[in-house]
Amino acid sequence: MLAIVNGIVEEVYNPVDRKHTEDPKHVGRYEFLGVEDEHTTYIGKDVSAFYGRSQNTVKFINM
């Protein structure tokens, strides 16, 4: 999973598990447990061309 800010990859996580959040402010959303990938080559890469403009903060990109 990529943490992206303004189209640039800031962090990369390898997901271990996901579940519905228990936060009452975000009912119906998922959260994940993951391990940070410190050896990735994606940090600093511009990925904005993959997802364009959207209000949805979650995108699936099959690489």
Side-chain angles (χ1 to χ4, degrees):
M1 298 188 84
L2 305 177
I4 301 169
V5 177
N6 296 324
I8 306 297
V9 177
E10 297 290 330
E11 294 180 339
V12 177
Y13 295 92
N14 294 315
V16 176
D17 193 18
R18 72 176 188 159
K19 63 178 183 169
H20 282 286
T21 185
E22 295 174 10
D23 185 343
K25 293 186 287 185
H26 299 104
V27 174
R29 290 190 182 188
Y30 281 94
E31 58 186 49
F32 78 95
L33 300 173
V35 178
E36 188 172 358
D37 185 348
E38 298 176 3
H39 304 290
T40 183
T41 58
Y42 290 109
I43 301 293
K45 302 281 184 176
D46 184 342
V47 293
S48 58
F50 286 107
Y51 59 86
R53 300 178 64 88
S54 174
Q55 289 183 338
N56 189 349
T57 60
V58 177
K59 296 288 182 193
F60 176 79
I61 302 170
N62 189 8
M63 300 176 76

